[in-house]
Amino acid sequence: MNRMFHVPLSPFCRKVRLVMAEKRIELELIEERYWEQDPDFMRRNPAGKVPVLRMDGRVMSESQAICEYLEETVPNPPLLPANAAERFEVRRLVFWFDDKFHAEVTSKLLYERVNKKLMGRGYPDSKNVKAGAQSIKYHLDYLGWLLDQRRWLAGDVMTLADFAAAAHLSCLDYISDVDWNRNATVKDWYAKIKSRPAFRGLLADQVPGFPPPPHYADLDF
Amino acid sequence: MNRMFHVPLSPFCRKVRLVMAEKRIELELIEERYWEQDPDFMRRNPAGKVPVLRMDGRVMSESQAICEYLEETVPNPPLLPANAAERFEVRRLVFWFDDKFHAEVTSKLLYERVNKKLMGRGYPDSKNVKAGAQSIKYHLDYLGWLLDQRRWLAGDVMTLADFAAAAHLSCLDYISDVDWNRNATVKDWYAKIKSRPAFRGLLADQVPGFPPPPHYADLDF
């Protein structure tokens, strides 16, 4: 059985969970408090991060390397288009979310409000929270701008770019940090992806001490 | 003519330059002081970062998305193996350097010592410099451990993983922050990659105010 060490509100773990569920690859999830740097866990992944996936006799880390591997070994349904230019656009957006959005929004809101407390590292820094709350507006506008020209984020079909974006946004939605009224097109896109069967596992997540708001799991939010 | 907006001591730009030179793709380089956020530049790349590559009628950003595109459109010589598990290992190591090494070493040494001054953002933070100088030791040990089992970082052939690692290390070598005496195997590996024709452009780089040490461009360092 494939097994993944994860935390529920990690956008990188969620991206891999979405890809695996969409490709109907069975997966057992094990929560790993990676910040405690358990020696067994560190042996599995010297980078000391989640996700760590045990699959095909291998122990794999780095979410994007894992997603590319899954795409190559379980090609159906495809989450990367066939054409090189379109594949470029998918990967560009994945990095946009995993790098830029992560630095400007996820780390400033989710990590301040949730991870710090879980890790016993004190209280949210209000300067960071304020900066994150400001930045997410521009990112939602950018998503809206992309979606005014395309059905899905990277083009006319759903791809890994949509899953990367939804992985981050779903974590922030869990702590009510996404203003879905800002842009109707972005809300429609999220409603579409949220209603996919692959999303169910994410919507059932519960983090002790941080109950999700009622709209989080509601498909008609 | 393909054109790339870059800065000489960016490991992400250097990775793309190495890949393009190795694949013998002609490239004109234009220095871009991206931190000044020139409106023309921001229009080309809303992420506000380098590298930005103009090629095949497209304007592309995100170094790893660019490298994958180059690999798909100019497959020779290949910088990713054919097998999915080996490709996974290459990508894992690329992310190791572009994410973990970048955060723990490059940003703490190069960005503190060079970028801050170039950008007019004050003096190096000695706490960061000290942390970076400590971290690079562990990373060199990790490289040595990999190279004890393999000819190149990800396996028996040279790949994108070697270029990603060499891109970071060459920037740090420019400011004499790599102790090549720490591990003879790592030094041999770097000597091999440094002597490739693709490396020549990097070795000729000059940053005003920061002359490189004599050993930087010396193949017999």
Side-chain angles (χ1 to χ4, degrees):
Chain A
M1 172 62 134
N2 307 309
R3 188 176 262 208
M4 193 165 85
F5 299 88
H6 86 130
V7 295
L9 294 185
S10 152
F12 303 104
C13 295
R14 286 186 162 211
K15 181 179 61 174
V16 176
R17 289 165 68 191
L18 287 170
V19 169
M20 293 192 79
E22 189 73 19
K23 291 180 179 286
R24 296 203 174 76
I25 309 169
E26 273 198 280
L27 180 64
E28 182 191 358
L29 289 172
I30 295 168
E31 276 197 51
E32 174 65 49
R33 298 168 67 87
Y34 61 90
W35 56 92
E36 293 175 357
Q37 309 227 324
D38 173 72
D40 264 3
F41 179 69
M42 293 302 285
R43 201 158 40 238
R44 283 191 290 267
N45 175 20
K49 303 188 295 188
V50 287
V52 169
L53 175 65
R54 197 185 294 173
M55 182 176 170
D56 299 343
R58 253 179 292 281
V59 176
M60 299 187 279
S61 58
E62 293 298 344
S63 71
Q64 191 51 22
I66 292 173
C67 290
E68 297 271 358
Y69 176 84
L70 294 171
E71 183 67 15
E72 292 177 1
T73 54
V74 187
N76 282 313
L79 294 174
L80 280 174
N83 169 290
E86 292 171 13
R87 292 161 76 86
F88 163 79
E89 180 65 357
V90 172
R91 293 186 177 116
R92 179 185 77 82
L93 287 166
V94 169
F95 295 121
W96 178 286
F97 283 94
D98 285 353
D99 182 38
K100 188 176 175 70
F101 187 93
H102 177 257
E104 295 176 359
V105 181
T106 309
S107 68
K108 297 233 168 11
L109 293 173
L110 182 74
Y111 295 179
E112 288 291 339
R113 291 199 211 270
V114 178
N115 297 31
K116 262 190 172 174
K117 187 167 175 199
L118 289 177
M119 298 178 183
R121 296 191 184 158
Y123 294 97
D125 178 329
S126 63
K127 211 176 61 199
N128 283 341
V129 171
K130 211 169 152 184
Q134 194 59 28
S135 287
I136 195 174
K137 294 182 192 171
Y138 301 118
H139 282 279
L140 290 173
D141 293 347
Y142 181 58
L143 282 186
W145 179 78
L146 289 172
L147 290 165
D148 280 343
Q149 310 159 60
R150 305 164 171 182
R151 284 189 59 216
W152 295 91
L153 282 185
D156 282 335
V157 294
M158 191 188 67
T159 66
L160 198 45
D162 298 285
F163 282 171
H168 284 270
L169 285 168
S170 65
C171 289
L172 294 162
D173 194 34
Y174 188 99
I175 53 171
S176 298
D177 266 339
V178 186
D179 174 11
W180 294 115
N181 292 322
R182 188 167 176 90
N183 187 309
T185 318
V186 175
K187 187 178 176 181
D188 286 349
W189 162 82
Y190 190 68
K192 259 195 305 185
I193 201 161
K194 189 177 178 179
S195 65
R196 296 189 79 78
F199 231 83
R200 279 181 208 147
L202 275 56
L203 299 181
D205 280 341
Q206 292 280 348
V207 182
F210 295 90
H215 80 265
Y216 171 71
D218 186 354
L219 297 183
D220 192 21
F221 54 107
Chain B
M1 174 59 137
N2 307 309
R3 188 177 261 205
M4 193 165 84
F5 299 88
H6 86 129
V7 295
L9 293 185
S10 153
F12 304 103
C13 296
R14 284 184 166 215
K15 181 178 61 173
V16 176
R17 288 165 70 191
L18 287 170
V19 169
M20 294 191 80
E22 190 73 19
K23 290 179 179 288
R24 298 206 172 76
I25 309 169
E26 273 199 279
L27 179 64
E28 182 191 359
L29 290 172
I30 297 169
E31 276 198 51
E32 176 65 48
R33 298 168 67 87
Y34 61 91
W35 56 90
E36 293 176 356
Q37 309 229 322
D38 172 72
D40 263 3
F41 178 68
M42 293 302 284
R43 200 160 38 239
R44 282 190 291 266
N45 175 20
K49 303 188 295 189
V50 288
V52 169
L53 175 64
R54 196 183 297 174
M55 182 176 169
D56 299 342
R58 253 178 294 280
V59 176
M60 299 187 280
S61 58
E62 293 299 342
S63 71
Q64 192 50 23
I66 291 173
C67 289
E68 296 272 359
Y69 175 84
L70 294 171
E71 184 66 13
E72 292 178 0
T73 55
V74 186
N76 283 311
L79 295 175
L80 280 174
N83 170 290
E86 294 172 12
R87 292 160 76 86
F88 163 78
E89 180 64 357
V90 173
R91 291 185 177 118
R92 180 185 77 81
L93 287 167
V94 169
F95 294 122
W96 178 286
F97 283 95
D98 285 353
D99 183 36
K100 189 174 173 69
F101 187 94
H102 177 257
E104 296 176 358
V105 182
T106 310
S107 68
K108 297 234 172 0
L109 292 173
L110 183 73
Y111 295 180
E112 288 291 340
R113 290 199 210 271
V114 178
N115 296 29
K116 260 191 173 174
K117 187 167 174 198
L118 289 177
M119 297 177 183
R121 294 188 187 162
Y123 295 96
D125 178 328
S126 63
K127 211 176 62 197
N128 283 341
V129 171
K130 211 169 152 186
Q134 194 59 26
S135 287
I136 194 173
K137 294 180 191 170
Y138 301 116
H139 282 280
L140 290 174
D141 292 348
Y142 181 59
L143 282 187
W145 179 78
L146 290 172
L147 291 166
D148 280 342
Q149 310 159 60
R150 306 164 171 183
R151 285 190 58 215
W152 294 91
L153 283 185
D156 283 335
V157 294
M158 191 189 69
T159 66
L160 198 44
D162 299 284
F163 282 170
H168 283 270
L169 286 168
S170 65
C171 289
L172 294 161
D173 194 35
Y174 188 99
I175 53 173
S176 298
D177 266 340
V178 186
D179 174 10
W180 294 114
N181 292 322
R182 188 169 177 90
N183 187 308
T185 319
V186 175
K187 188 179 177 180
D188 285 350
W189 162 83
Y190 190 67
K192 259 196 305 185
I193 201 161
K194 189 177 178 179
S195 65
R196 296 188 79 79
F199 230 83
R200 279 181 207 147
L202 275 56
L203 299 181
D205 279 341
Q206 292 280 347
V207 181
F210 295 91
H215 80 266
Y216 171 72
D218 186 355
L219 297 184
D220 193 21
F221 55 107

PDB file of all heavy atoms in Angstrom, chain B residues 72-86:
ATOM      1  N   GLU B  72      12.291  19.479 -23.299  1.00  0.00           N
ATOM      2  CA  GLU B  72      11.286  18.894 -24.192  1.00  0.00           C
ATOM      3  C   GLU B  72      11.425  19.354 -25.639  1.00  0.00           C
ATOM      4  O   GLU B  72      11.118  18.601 -26.560  1.00  0.00           O
ATOM      5  CB  GLU B  72       9.879  19.228 -23.667  1.00  0.00           C
ATOM      6  CG  GLU B  72       9.587  18.515 -22.350  1.00  0.00           C
ATOM      7  CD  GLU B  72       8.214  18.863 -21.765  1.00  0.00           C
ATOM      8  OE1 GLU B  72       7.471  19.654 -22.379  1.00  0.00           O
ATOM      9  OE2 GLU B  72       7.897  18.329 -20.683  1.00  0.00           O
ATOM     10  N   THR B  73      11.887  20.598 -25.833  1.00  0.00           N
ATOM     11  CA  THR B  73      11.932  21.133 -27.197  1.00  0.00           C
ATOM     12  C   THR B  73      13.307  20.971 -27.850  1.00  0.00           C
ATOM     13  O   THR B  73      13.399  20.956 -29.074  1.00  0.00           O
ATOM     14  CB  THR B  73      11.520  22.625 -27.233  1.00  0.00           C
ATOM     15  OG1 THR B  73      12.351  23.355 -26.306  1.00  0.00           O
ATOM     16  CG2 THR B  73      10.065  22.793 -26.833  1.00  0.00           C
ATOM     17  N   VAL B  74      14.360  20.894 -27.025  1.00  0.00           N
ATOM     18  CA  VAL B  74      15.713  20.669 -27.563  1.00  0.00           C
ATOM     19  C   VAL B  74      16.288  19.479 -26.800  1.00  0.00           C
ATOM     20  O   VAL B  74      17.083  19.635 -25.876  1.00  0.00           O
ATOM     21  CB  VAL B  74      16.611  21.929 -27.370  1.00  0.00           C
ATOM     22  CG1 VAL B  74      17.962  21.736 -28.071  1.00  0.00           C
ATOM     23  CG2 VAL B  74      15.916  23.183 -27.892  1.00  0.00           C
ATOM     24  N   PRO B  75      15.880  18.267 -27.160  1.00  0.00           N
ATOM     25  CA  PRO B  75      16.200  17.113 -26.315  1.00  0.00           C
ATOM     26  C   PRO B  75      17.679  16.711 -26.275  1.00  0.00           C
ATOM     27  O   PRO B  75      18.059  15.950 -25.387  1.00  0.00           O
ATOM     28  CB  PRO B  75      15.341  15.978 -26.890  1.00  0.00           C
ATOM     29  CG  PRO B  75      14.805  16.462 -28.180  1.00  0.00           C
ATOM     30  CD  PRO B  75      14.973  17.935 -28.262  1.00  0.00           C
ATOM     31  N   ASN B  76      18.505  17.257 -27.189  1.00  0.00           N
ATOM     32  CA  ASN B  76      19.916  16.830 -27.199  1.00  0.00           C
ATOM     33  C   ASN B  76      20.891  17.914 -26.799  1.00  0.00           C
ATOM     34  O   ASN B  76      20.758  19.035 -27.261  1.00  0.00           O
ATOM     35  CB  ASN B  76      20.291  16.291 -28.585  1.00  0.00           C
ATOM     36  CG  ASN B  76      19.729  14.892 -28.748  1.00  0.00           C
ATOM     37  OD1 ASN B  76      19.884  14.043 -27.893  1.00  0.00           O
ATOM     38  ND2 ASN B  76      19.028  14.678 -29.862  1.00  0.00           N
ATOM     39  N   PRO B  77      21.901  17.578 -25.985  1.00  0.00           N
ATOM     40  CA  PRO B  77      22.022  16.326 -25.236  1.00  0.00           C
ATOM     41  C   PRO B  77      20.992  16.273 -24.114  1.00  0.00           C
ATOM     42  O   PRO B  77      20.638  17.304 -23.549  1.00  0.00           O
ATOM     43  CB  PRO B  77      23.438  16.408 -24.655  1.00  0.00           C
ATOM     44  CG  PRO B  77      23.684  17.873 -24.509  1.00  0.00           C
ATOM     45  CD  PRO B  77      22.978  18.521 -25.657  1.00  0.00           C
ATOM     46  N   PRO B  78      20.513  15.075 -23.765  1.00  0.00           N
ATOM     47  CA  PRO B  78      19.492  14.963 -22.712  1.00  0.00           C
ATOM     48  C   PRO B  78      20.067  15.319 -21.336  1.00  0.00           C
ATOM     49  O   PRO B  78      21.176  14.911 -21.010  1.00  0.00           O
ATOM     50  CB  PRO B  78      19.064  13.498 -22.763  1.00  0.00           C
ATOM     51  CG  PRO B  78      20.185  12.778 -23.419  1.00  0.00           C
ATOM     52  CD  PRO B  78      20.858  13.760 -24.340  1.00  0.00           C
ATOM     53  N   LEU B  79      19.295  16.058 -20.560  1.00  0.00           N
ATOM     54  CA  LEU B  79      19.711  16.391 -19.195  1.00  0.00           C
ATOM     55  C   LEU B  79      18.767  15.782 -18.167  1.00  0.00           C
ATOM     56  O   LEU B  79      18.866  16.027 -16.973  1.00  0.00           O
ATOM     57  CB  LEU B  79      19.804  17.910 -19.029  1.00  0.00           C
ATOM     58  CG  LEU B  79      20.907  18.551 -19.893  1.00  0.00           C
ATOM     59  CD1 LEU B  79      20.882  20.064 -19.785  1.00  0.00           C
ATOM     60  CD2 LEU B  79      22.284  18.016 -19.490  1.00  0.00           C
ATOM     61  N   LEU B  80      17.819  14.994 -18.664  1.00  0.00           N
ATOM     62  CA  LEU B  80      16.968  14.163 -17.806  1.00  0.00           C
ATOM     63  C   LEU B  80      17.066  12.749 -18.344  1.00  0.00           C
ATOM     64  O   LEU B  80      17.021  12.549 -19.558  1.00  0.00           O
ATOM     65  CB  LEU B  80      15.504  14.614 -17.871  1.00  0.00           C
ATOM     66  CG  LEU B  80      15.052  15.822 -17.056  1.00  0.00           C
ATOM     67  CD1 LEU B  80      13.608  16.182 -17.387  1.00  0.00           C
ATOM     68  CD2 LEU B  80      15.195  15.556 -15.566  1.00  0.00           C
ATOM     69  N   PRO B  81      17.203  11.733 -17.468  1.00  0.00           N
ATOM     70  CA  PRO B  81      17.275  10.348 -17.948  1.00  0.00           C
ATOM     71  C   PRO B  81      15.928   9.915 -18.529  1.00  0.00           C
ATOM     72  O   PRO B  81      14.927  10.631 -18.411  1.00  0.00           O
ATOM     73  CB  PRO B  81      17.597   9.558 -16.678  1.00  0.00           C
ATOM     74  CG  PRO B  81      17.903  10.561 -15.611  1.00  0.00           C
ATOM     75  CD  PRO B  81      17.265  11.836 -16.013  1.00  0.00           C
ATOM     76  N   ALA B  82      15.896   8.722 -19.128  1.00  0.00           N
ATOM     77  CA  ALA B  82      14.665   8.256 -19.773  1.00  0.00           C
ATOM     78  C   ALA B  82      13.699   7.628 -18.768  1.00  0.00           C
ATOM     79  O   ALA B  82      12.481   7.667 -18.954  1.00  0.00           O
ATOM     80  CB  ALA B  82      15.009   7.242 -20.863  1.00  0.00           C
ATOM     81  N   ASN B  83      14.225   7.071 -17.687  1.00  0.00           N
ATOM     82  CA  ASN B  83      13.451   6.294 -16.741  1.00  0.00           C
ATOM     83  C   ASN B  83      12.795   7.182 -15.669  1.00  0.00           C
ATOM     84  O   ASN B  83      13.428   8.099 -15.142  1.00  0.00           O
ATOM     85  CB  ASN B  83      14.475   5.303 -16.133  1.00  0.00           C
ATOM     86  CG  ASN B  83      13.951   4.561 -14.970  1.00  0.00           C
ATOM     87  OD1 ASN B  83      13.749   5.133 -13.915  1.00  0.00           O
ATOM     88  ND2 ASN B  83      13.723   3.275 -15.161  1.00  0.00           N
ATOM     89  N   ALA B  84      11.516   6.895 -15.367  1.00  0.00           N
ATOM     90  CA  ALA B  84      10.759   7.767 -14.453  1.00  0.00           C
ATOM     91  C   ALA B  84      11.401   7.875 -13.070  1.00  0.00           C
ATOM     92  O   ALA B  84      11.427   8.958 -12.474  1.00  0.00           O
ATOM     93  CB  ALA B  84       9.317   7.285 -14.322  1.00  0.00           C
ATOM     94  N   ALA B  85      11.923   6.764 -12.541  1.00  0.00           N
ATOM     95  CA  ALA B  85      12.518   6.802 -11.211  1.00  0.00           C
ATOM     96  C   ALA B  85      13.793   7.654 -11.210  1.00  0.00           C
ATOM     97  O   ALA B  85      14.058   8.405 -10.260  1.00  0.00           O
ATOM     98  CB  ALA B  85      12.840   5.380 -10.738  1.00  0.00           C
ATOM     99  N   GLU B  86      14.556   7.569 -12.287  1.00  0.00           N
ATOM    100  CA  GLU B  86      15.782   8.372 -12.373  1.00  0.00           C
ATOM    101  C   GLU B  86      15.451   9.847 -12.595  1.00  0.00           C
ATOM    102  O   GLU B  86      16.132  10.733 -12.076  1.00  0.00           O
ATOM    103  CB  GLU B  86      16.686   7.841 -13.495  1.00  0.00           C
ATOM    104  CG  GLU B  86      17.228   6.446 -13.192  1.00  0.00           C
ATOM    105  CD  GLU B  86      17.963   5.818 -14.384  1.00  0.00           C
ATOM    106  OE1 GLU B  86      18.246   6.541 -15.368  1.00  0.00           O
ATOM    107  OE2 GLU B  86      18.241   4.605 -14.325  1.00  0.00           O
TER     108      GLU B  86
END
